[in-house]
Amino acid sequence: MQLRSANLSIRFIVPLLCVLALFGYFAMPWMENFTMRWFVRDVDMRAQLVSRTLQLPLRNYLEDNEVDRINDMFDRAFQDERLYALGFCDPSGKLLYKTATYPASIGCWRTTQPNAKDSPLVRLEQGPVHVYASEVMAGEQSLGRLVLVHDMSFIERRSADTKKYLLGLFVVLAGVVSFITVIVAHLSWHGWVNGVRDMLQRELSPRAARRKRSDGASGAAANPAPEQPREVAADIAPIASDLRALLRDYQHELQTGNVDTEVWNPDTLKALLNKDLAGDQILVVSNREPYIHVATPDGVKVQRPASGLVTAVEAVMRACSGTWIAHGAGSADRDTVDSNDHVRVPPEQPSYTLRRVWLSKEEEAGYYYGFANEGLWPLCHIAHVRPVFRSSDWAEYVKVNQRFADAVIAEARSDNPVVLVQDYHFALLPRMVRAVLPKATIITFWHIPWPNPESFGICPWREEILDGMLGSTILGFHTPFHRKNFLDTVDRYLETRIEDEASTVSYGNELTQVKPYPISIAWPDEVPGEPDVPACRAEIRKALGLPDEHLLGIGVDRLDYTKGIVERFQAVERMLELYPEMVGRFTFVQIAAPTRSSLDEYQNFESRVRALAQRINTRFSSGSYVPIILKAEHHDQKQLRTYFRAAEVCSVTSLHDGMNLVAKEFIATRDDEQGVLILSQFTGAARELYEALIVNPYHIEEGAEALYRALRMPADEQRERMRSMRRRVRDFNVYRWAGRMLQDAARLRQRERVRSRIMSLSQDRVRKGAP
Ligand code: ADQ
């Protein structure tokens, strides 16, 4: 510390002293010159005065030719210590009278004009002298010239003194300035260090404390809100947000156990698959298929469903070209598969195989709509919609899980494929596959939240579900919070051994690794010729019949009660109430893809959403203006991008959401680094996107204020927030999500290979009777 202080002082003082020395070096001669001119002017005036005093008696003495008196007068005048010599010349230039000290070299000194350019200074052997000559007049006639010579050596002495004092002054000044600078520098340095330390403590400790709290708490409501950036000391304000972003990146990495600097993209994922899982078959199982063939009057059309799961897994499948097993739900799906129920996708550039599984209406009703969506979905989301459990649904769920497990087994080319099981539709499938393919690496990813043990406990088949899931080699959740809830649930209802450190559950003879793998999106490539943000703004406003400067909010969701669409509309309404200047200036566009429409709960929800939009519109509309535009239909990716780019604000207000990819999609489209994201604290995304305006969607005023704040947020603040979020979404992309799971799988497979080699070696030894 001492050494650092000394270093710091030297760093400040050395340049300071150099500057002062330089200043002294140039200032000294100038000062000397200045004081000299000053003294010369004084002596000039003095010489004039003396000359005028001597003029009258001298004229009288000259006219009376009184030589003695003249000499006497000169001698008396000479008594003056500054006057070095006096002389008098007649008009012909002959030196008639002079004191003994009169320098011969001066002669009669012809320069008499006061403003003459010639210097009055003459350097003699004995030192510098000042010469002044004036005419002695008798009427119009000149009697001669009186020459006064003043000693100037005192000026040199004074100048030397001044120099000495100045030097002293500079030294003192340098000392004082250095002292003050060092003190100020030290205070600033300490302020800066304390500011950073304080910020680090605040960023790290409360988060740790929060983590502890959240680990101890349960349920969606206990899911703690990420904090907004706090005030920091002014000293570190300019770098505070960068520092925070770095800290959060680091913390996130720590939380997800992934402290690395790897960049993930399709190539790194492919490289991983080729290197660590070379020759291993990858199978994906999900309920929803990535491409739906639909019969229309204009022929078969291909649709891409609105689903976060599909968005994420599709990116992985493109990179690894495996087989995706899913329910063939499209009206033209059967017409587009081959005899093995296979179809190559994506249609525009086939790179992997889609294997379709067919379900009867009863199976779909019981397994998908019934147990999965009326039972598990509300059970896991805790969004105040009661789960419904029926034995008939459960029976279908078991049956369909077995159907899909059979499809996996049929598609497997070896006894140890890598199987990626997606979501809550297939909780039983891992155990079913494991029963036939014990060496398979089964990675199950749970895309929705996992509730606390008490909430999960109301499921009549809770043990069966947990047992089914623990057939997985790796079990993934979006957040450490959901992972913790799962471990607590297992602990509560099954006989297991949980190793929290290693994040493993030991159940029977099997080990399941349970880890958080936050999902993300594929960072979009630049699309050549894609309209820029101003063009998107203009296009959407024109399409909606709105003026150019009209403010726009956007929401994109499936029409699901967990997405908080009602609360979002209520926040819009409240904002218009609180800030009437926004009426007529702001419109919220809600794009909502209908989903699970055959369920009562979803039909009721859609009716509520429509009725609420209608009521708010009736209340605030005037002329052609409406505050809410509800587009309850599926939109393609390009249309969504255009809307995201056209909007001032994107609102994601889920009541509970595993991750929420819409938030990340919005961020990815905003290459102009503008636009504000309002994000529910109950989304997994809120654990990563700290720079969004984080809200509690249940609190309508908070939502309204956030909306108003977003609409008025200065461009530089938007840029700061957006830039940081873009960096994170770009780096923490879907390839990383998949890559980290596959990396873990590869590691476990390698370990298993080594273990079986050792086993077979020792069996060999036993067989050969070796000791
Ligand atoms: P979802 O509940 O479907 O996903 P989300 O993550 O927001 O929720 O993904 C929705 C996807 O559908 C996005 O890609 C979005 O663009 C798209 N989409 C939404 N509305 C659309 C529309 N009208 N037209 C076209 N596309 C639309 C589940 C979990 C989430 C988790 C994901 C991924 O509920 O918490 O983030 O899986 O794991």
Side-chain angles (χ1 to χ4, degrees), residues 415-726:
D415 64 347
N416 67 345
V418 177
V419 186
L420 300 171
V421 183
Q422 304 302 317
D423 232 352
Y424 61 104
H425 310 97
F426 298 113
L428 306 178
L429 183 140
R431 171 77 50 219
M432 292 166 171
V433 172
R434 167 87 51 232
V436 181
L437 302 172
K439 291 188 187 160
T441 302
I442 304 172
I443 307 173
T444 301
F445 191 79
W446 199 261
H447 289 258
I448 61 175
W450 189 275
N452 57 72
E454 295 74 28
S455 302
F456 188 77
I458 65 171
C459 175
W461 298 281
R462 60 193 186 199
E463 283 87 2
E464 286 86 338
I465 288 181
L466 294 174
D467 172 82
M469 290 173 79
L470 289 177
S472 315
T473 320
I474 294 175
L475 192 48
F477 294 92
H478 288 300
T479 66
F481 178 64
H482 297 147
R483 167 195 157 274
K484 179 75 170 66
N485 277 349
F486 177 79
L487 292 179
D488 289 347
T489 310
V490 166
D491 199 24
R492 177 80 59 92
Y493 300 113
L494 291 185
E495 278 295 315
T496 55
R497 207 180 69 245
I498 297 171
E499 295 286 345
D500 214 25
E501 273 295 272
S503 211
T504 53
V505 178
S506 175
Y507 180 54
N509 285 329
E510 283 154 7
L511 207 64
T512 301
Q513 198 161 65
V514 185
K515 281 175 76 171
Y517 299 98
I519 207 166
S520 192
I521 56 164
W523 189 251
D525 295 328
E526 266 183 36
V527 187
E530 185 182 44
D532 59 10
V533 168
C536 292
R537 285 178 62 90
E539 183 185 328
I540 295 295
R541 280 162 180 75
K542 187 163 171 239
L544 300 175
L546 299 170
D548 285 350
E549 290 315 309
H550 200 80
L551 300 170
L552 219 61
I554 181 83
V556 175
D557 310 80
R558 288 181 303 100
L559 240 175
D560 193 296
Y561 54 80
T562 60
K563 300 294 179 185
I565 299 172
V566 166
E567 290 72 9
R568 196 177 305 167
F569 286 1
Q570 286 169 340
V572 170
E573 180 180 30
R574 188 77 184 116
M575 196 270 287
L576 295 177
E577 271 170 19
L578 291 171
Y579 303 101
E581 74 268 22
M582 285 294 171
V583 178
R585 284 185 61 205
F586 169 72
T587 294
F588 191 84
V589 180
Q590 177 63 51
I591 296 177
T595 180
R596 305 169 195 172
S597 310
S598 60
L599 296 180
D600 284 352
E601 199 63 58
Y602 283 80
Q603 286 168 12
N604 294 341
F605 180 68
E606 182 169 345
S607 310
R608 270 183 71 201
V609 169
R610 285 186 186 280
L612 181 61
Q614 173 84 45
R615 185 177 64 68
I616 297 172
N617 282 346
T618 310
R619 184 171 168 200
F620 291 101
S621 61
S622 63
S624 62
Y625 169 72
V626 285
I628 293 179
I629 297 175
L630 177 60
K631 290 177 167 288
E633 57 202 26
H634 187 278
H635 284 56
D636 66 29
Q637 292 293 305
K638 192 164 160 277
Q639 287 172 313
L640 289 184
R641 276 179 71 78
T642 313
Y643 270 103
F644 282 142
R645 284 156 80 79
E648 269 72 32
V649 51
C650 173
S651 195
V652 173
T653 51
S654 313
L655 305 180
H656 206 182
D657 218 331
M659 175 55 70
N660 193 289
L661 295 180
V662 171
K664 296 187 174 183
E665 287 166 353
F666 170 67
I667 288 166
T669 61
R670 297 314 296 255
D671 49 14
D672 61 333
E673 297 181 342
Q674 292 295 295
V676 182
L677 175 66
I678 295 178
L679 184 59
S680 158
Q681 68 185 68
F682 304 124
T683 59
R687 318 277 101 202
E688 296 174 51
L689 305 175
Y690 309 97
E691 293 80 6
L693 296 185
I694 306 288
V695 294
N696 173 355
Y698 292 99
H699 190 176
I700 303 306
E701 269 75 23
E702 192 180 311
E705 291 297 345
L707 192 54
Y708 185 67
R709 182 172 169 204
L711 292 172
R712 293 170 49 90
M713 189 179 284
D716 52 352
E717 185 180 342
Q718 292 186 37
R719 183 167 304 110
E720 195 68 25
R721 288 171 182 268
M722 186 54 86
R723 193 176 283 171
S724 174
M725 292 193 286
R726 279 175 66 79

Side-chain angles (χ1 to χ4, degrees), residues 140-355:
E140 292 293 301
Q141 192 197 348
S142 167
L143 299 179
R145 313 182 72 214
L146 174 64
V147 181
L148 303 180
V149 181
H150 273 89
D151 179 13
M152 294 294 275
S153 60
F154 79 98
I155 292 180
E156 280 198 336
R157 280 196 306 279
R158 275 196 192 169
S159 177
D161 285 349
T162 315
K163 237 194 248 174
K164 232 187 293 164
Y165 289 130
L166 260 177
L167 210 66
L169 187 73
F170 270 126
V171 171
V172 173
L173 202 68
V176 172
V177 173
S178 303
F179 180 72
I180 293 174
T181 311
V182 168
I183 295 283
V184 171
H186 273 269
L187 288 179
S188 309
W189 168 255
H190 282 295
W192 202 89
V193 169
N194 288 340
V196 172
R197 196 174 286 154
D198 197 41
M199 184 177 150
L200 288 178
Q201 266 168 8
R202 276 195 312 199
E203 289 293 318
L204 295 172
S205 318
R207 213 173 290 282
R210 263 202 332 270
R211 240 192 342 262
K212 253 188 227 154
R213 270 206 310 278
S214 72
D215 285 353
S218 54
N223 200 353
E227 291 188 358
Q228 288 288 307
R230 296 201 213 163
E231 286 296 314
V232 292
D235 290 353
I236 59 161
I239 60 156
S241 68
D242 285 351
L243 212 57
R244 275 204 185 104
L246 278 173
L247 271 178
R248 280 163 189 167
D249 285 357
Y250 181 70
Q251 276 190 322
H252 181 87
E253 298 250 314
L254 271 184
Q255 278 180 21
T256 52
N258 189 31
V259 185
D260 62 35
T261 51
E262 269 175 294
V263 174
W264 286 93
N265 55 38
D267 294 335
T268 45
L269 191 60
K270 262 187 206 150
L272 166 78
L273 291 162
N274 291 335
K275 188 169 144 270
D276 296 344
L277 294 165
D280 295 332
Q281 186 189 13
I282 310 274
L283 297 166
V284 168
V285 192
S286 74
N287 172 72
R288 178 125 353 154
E289 52 183 344
Y291 294 93
I292 308 172
H293 288 90
V294 185
T296 71
D298 304 327
V300 174
K301 291 240 163 87
V302 184
Q303 264 185 14
R304 205 161 164 271
S307 149
L309 180 156
V310 168
T311 309
V313 181
E314 154 88 344
V316 178
M317 286 310 275
R318 281 178 191 240
C320 76
S321 36
T323 300
W324 187 328
I325 300 163
H327 171 211
S331 52
D333 273 357
R334 283 179 195 267
D335 307 331
T336 44
V337 293
D338 63 15
S339 56
N340 296 316
D341 297 327
H342 287 171
V343 57
R344 295 284 292 165
V345 286
E348 65 284 1
Q349 198 186 1
S351 57
Y352 65 94
T353 302
L354 171 60
R355 154 81 193 267

Side-chain angles (χ1 to χ4, degrees), residues 722-736:
M722 186 54 86
R723 193 176 283 171
S724 174
M725 292 193 286
R726 279 175 66 79
R727 209 170 33 220
R728 206 160 310 122
V729 175
R730 190 195 56 214
D731 294 347
F732 288 30
N733 54 35
V734 71
Y735 302 107
R736 190 188 188 101

